[in-house]
Amino acid sequence: MAMITAESDGDAPGGLEAAACLFRGFGDASRLLILQHLALGEHRVVDLTEHLGLAQSTVSKHLACLRDCGLVTSRPEGRSSMFRLTHPEALTDLLAAAERLLALTGDAVTLCPTTGSARTGR
């Protein structure tokens, strides 16, 4: 796996820093929900707010983050923008792998005192 074997002069191997940034992009349940919904096809912000029950400002903020990370792209359509996944197959593979890992660990990550739900009080 290239991100583990690549070395750099910094504290973390070169690819690991990029991977950490990528996984931080997945670190919000609303962003994951948006990504899962965009896996179904293109949507406007108004469609996502209606389908997901999230505020327009929340959806817009998360779409901006996902676009900055290169995970989603948009195209104009009239006065709106249509959002879609940039690399749908790769994202589907990654989310499927995460589901497999969660199943194997029994969702133990939710109990982690550093990153889990217990830390955030959820």
Side-chain angles (χ1 to χ4, degrees):
M1 178 180 250
M3 71 178 177
I4 293 175
T5 59
E7 294 295 328
S8 72
D9 295 330
D11 293 335
L16 286 181
E17 184 61 33
C21 290
L22 175 67
F23 284 111
R24 279 193 293 275
F26 295 125
D28 183 279
S30 293
R31 282 194 294 272
L32 286 174
L33 187 61
I34 290 168
L35 288 169
Q36 286 179 324
H37 206 72
L38 288 176
L40 302 173
E42 288 185 317
H43 287 81
R44 299 173 300 158
V45 171
V46 68
D47 300 329
L48 291 168
T49 59
E50 182 181 315
H51 296 161
L52 304 177
L54 299 171
Q56 182 272 329
S57 60
T58 300
V59 171
S60 293
K61 175 185 75 166
H62 289 305
L63 283 170
C65 173
L66 294 168
R67 184 178 46 234
D68 291 345
C69 291
L71 298 173
V72 302
T73 188
S74 64
R75 64 174 178 81
E77 184 173 285
R79 292 178 21 189
S80 298
S81 293
M82 297 295 290
F83 288 86
R84 66 182 178 280
L85 298 177
T86 307
H87 306 286
E89 290 148 9
L91 182 68
T92 300
D93 291 346
L94 179 70
L95 294 177
E99 287 178 3
R100 285 192 305 275
L101 187 56
L102 287 169
L104 290 169
T105 63
D107 296 333
V109 294
T110 60
L111 301 176
C112 176
T114 304
T115 62
S117 299
R119 180 187 71 87
T120 60
R122 289 185 211 158

